[in-house]
Amino acid sequence: MKTILTLAILGLAALDAWARPNIVLIMADDVGCEPIGAYGGERWKTPHIDALAERGMRFDYCFAMPVCHPTRTTLLTGKYPFRLKSGWGSFPKSEEKHSLAQVLKRAGYATAVAGKWQLCLMKNDLQQPARIGFDQWSVFGWHEGARFHEPYIYEDGRLRTDTQGKYGPDLYVDFLADFMAKSAKADTPFFAFYSMALAHDVTDDIPVQVPYMPGKDRWMDYGEMIESMDNMVGKLVKKIDQLGLRDDTVILFTGDNGTAQRSKLRHIEGRKYEYEQVYSIRNGQRVPGGKGTLLDIGTNVPLIASWPGNIQAGSRGHELVDFSDWLPTLATLARAKPTQPHDGVSFTSALLHTRRREARSFAFAEHRGGKAWVRTKQYKLYNDGRYFDIQADPMEKQPLKNLNNRAATDRKLLEAALLKLNYPATEK
């Protein structure tokens, strides 16, 4: 595993021109690149997210895990899931004092999270967010109740009783807006993590079905959730503008895995539902949802960063990024130091166009069943030996056999990467 990255990697002199920013991290749920206009998405409108890209930097090679929980543990620890060995919907206690939120909190940041938590059943551990480093939290009860209409929300350790007739995403944004306003008034830099409920469909394992959309006989469809997601981003950015904090705040938008393959519309009976099959239109091409697969449509997620005067407007980030990189990147922006080794490589130098450009040579993703890959921008090597040219074969229909010089060189690099990670091989 990598040794701890410190500010010395970038050089403090390179950061002297920038004061420590407020950090707002927005992570959409079940949203890959294809639904977003800035990435060529054409089926739905995302003007507020597109505006962040126009005013900032868009990365093309950001990779998450193919499903939500391992992505979240990687983000908070800077470590790949196989190192943590934590069960689904849990967080290892040994990592609580070393989390991203704790690193920023020790650096003097106020910290808050709102929306999706999914690291415990909140009713069984009301103070887990605090132990992981969040001063304030407002999160829906995962597998306990609704996340959208009339949501089941735990706020700072207590269950809210005033959500009837209200829309969860509005409440999560309002909570963070209030947190940012109080932090600004106290002249304290803040880390606001908006872990969105959108655009994941409703839960399906509670005794009482959660409410439909007001006035309709169904839940929101995927497109309605995408457009609501964009509206919530716009609402949060508007609040930052109203507080006069836009120039002092770096806003980052990403997703936790690829776009959903299907989404629940109606409850039929028991555990039976009517579903819609989800697809996007990207640059004129129909793209199916890929969540839960190790294909690019399951792991390639948006990464947009906006910080006026510091991140060049309309720029593109061509570096490889995976979710272990968030911890060292945000720590570097905050002039903080991670407290233990991690797998990440800071992409701060790419954001700020500093002279020293730290870039990872490979990205990594894994899925249940011991499946994993390492990749460059063009080539992907699985731990069972399959090797693909993703640019020529994005749906991975035909493994490469006869390698040209470039493909052979990258394969050697990726084989060495798997050895360095010490990730176990599997049979085809």
Side-chain angles (χ1 to χ4, degrees):
M1 203 187 313
K2 285 177 53 30
T3 55
I4 296 173
L5 289 177
T6 68
L7 293 177
I9 288 178
L10 286 176
L12 285 173
L15 288 175
D16 281 346
W18 294 277
R20 296 195 306 167
N22 303 309
I23 299 170
V24 175
L25 175 56
I26 305 169
M27 186 167 70
D29 197 354
D30 286 5
V31 180
C33 295
E34 305 84 19
I36 308 300
Y39 284 88
E42 298 170 342
R43 192 174 183 200
W44 303 291
K45 303 297 183 183
T46 56
H48 298 294
I49 297 170
D50 299 346
L52 287 178
E54 291 169 4
R55 296 183 67 184
M57 177 178 286
R58 189 197 92 185
F59 286 78
D60 293 325
Y61 300 100
C62 178
F63 296 94
M65 304 300 155
V67 288
C68 45
H69 175 259
T71 291
R72 293 163 197 277
T73 58
T74 302
L75 181 147
L76 287 171
T77 64
K79 296 180 181 180
Y80 296 135
F82 75 93
R83 301 199 193 280
L84 300 173
K85 296 179 174 58
S86 59
W88 186 264
S90 66
F91 191 84
K93 287 190 177 294
S94 61
E95 298 292 330
E96 290 179 350
K97 293 182 180 179
H98 307 288
S99 74
L100 170 60
Q102 291 283 19
V103 168
L104 298 181
K105 186 173 180 178
R106 279 191 286 270
Y109 276 66
T111 59
V113 60
K116 184 172 183 175
W117 184 240
Q118 202 189 359
L119 302 179
C120 71
L121 284 177
M122 190 59 61
K123 63 182 179 181
N124 296 334
D125 194 351
L126 296 175
Q127 294 301 313
Q128 189 194 47
R131 296 198 311 274
I132 292 177
F134 289 100
D135 298 317
Q136 296 180 249
W137 61 96
S138 181
V139 295
F140 63 82
W142 177 56
H143 294 303
E144 293 183 59
R147 67 190 73 189
F148 296 128
H149 301 100
E150 301 186 2
Y152 200 86
I153 294 177
Y154 289 95
E155 198 159 290
D156 298 337
R158 295 183 179 181
L159 182 66
R160 287 186 61 160
T161 58
D162 62 345
T163 65
Q164 187 172 359
K166 296 179 181 179
Y167 181 50
D170 280 331
L171 299 180
Y172 311 136
V173 171
D174 290 344
F175 177 85
L176 290 177
D178 183 63
F179 163 76
M180 293 188 298
K182 290 178 179 177
S183 299
K185 185 176 182 180
D187 198 25
T188 302
F190 58 78
F191 170 49
F193 180 22
Y194 183 17
S195 179
M196 302 187 87
L198 297 157
H200 192 300
D201 61 359
V202 301
T203 194
D204 62 358
D205 60 353
I206 56 177
V208 179
Q209 294 302 314
V210 300
Y212 284 148
M213 296 175 68
K216 295 197 176 184
D217 67 343
R218 62 172 175 81
W219 295 299
M220 290 184 289
D221 64 28
Y222 188 79
E224 289 165 333
M225 288 191 286
I226 286 291
E227 293 185 353
S228 180
M229 172 195 72
D230 185 74
N231 287 334
M232 293 304 123
V233 172
K235 183 177 178 181
L236 192 62
V237 173
K238 182 178 180 180
K239 183 63 177 181
I240 295 168
D241 289 338
Q242 290 173 341
L243 291 171
L245 298 174
R246 191 66 184 85
D247 290 345
D248 303 317
T249 303
V250 57
I251 302 174
L252 303 124
F253 175 84
T254 190
D256 67 348
N257 48 244
T259 298
Q261 298 189 47
R262 63 179 190 168
S263 186
K264 289 184 283 295
L265 289 177
R266 294 178 179 86
H267 177 239
I268 299 175
E269 61 179 353
R271 294 288 295 273
K272 296 181 180 179
Y273 297 86
E274 177 188 345
Y275 288 86
E276 64 166 331
Q277 296 301 122
V278 177
Y279 68 92
S280 305
I281 303 294
R282 184 182 190 185
N283 296 325
Q285 301 295 316
R286 178 172 171 144
V287 183
K291 175 185 176 179
T293 76
L294 282 164
L295 299 170
D296 276 16
I297 55 173
T299 56
N300 188 199
V301 295
L303 169 50
I304 296 169
S306 178
W307 185 13
N310 297 287
I311 296 174
Q312 183 179 342
S315 57
R316 297 280 287 274
H318 300 291
E319 288 78 4
L320 282 168
V321 175
D322 73 28
F323 259 63
S324 68
D325 299 338
W326 284 105
L327 187 147
T329 298
L330 300 191
T332 301
L333 287 170
R335 298 177 184 256
K337 295 182 180 181
T339 55
Q340 61 178 4
H342 55 77
D343 291 296
V345 178
S346 173
F347 56 89
T348 311
S349 57
L351 293 174
L352 303 181
H353 290 282
T354 57
R355 289 183 181 180
R356 185 180 178 98
R357 301 298 290 269
E358 296 297 324
R360 57 170 51 253
S361 58
F362 67 90
F364 171 83
E366 63 177 290
H367 199 20
R368 61 175 65 94
K371 300 176 182 178
W373 53 247
V374 288
R375 65 167 296 157
T376 61
K377 295 177 187 178
Q378 182 171 357
Y379 297 103
K380 180 187 289 186
L381 177 65
Y382 282 84
N383 62 323
D384 63 5
R386 290 176 300 136
Y387 189 51
F388 295 93
D389 181 341
I390 302 304
Q391 292 180 8
D393 182 18
M395 297 303 288
E396 302 177 19
K397 294 182 178 181
Q398 186 61 50
L400 289 175
K401 294 180 180 178
N402 300 317
L403 307 185
N404 60 32
N405 289 339
R406 173 66 184 277
T409 298
D410 275 23
R411 175 154 190 148
K412 289 180 180 179
L413 181 152
L414 294 174
E415 287 173 344
L418 280 175
L419 287 173
K420 181 179 179 181
L421 289 171
N422 197 29
Y423 193 87
T426 62
E427 295 182 359
K428 294 181 182 180

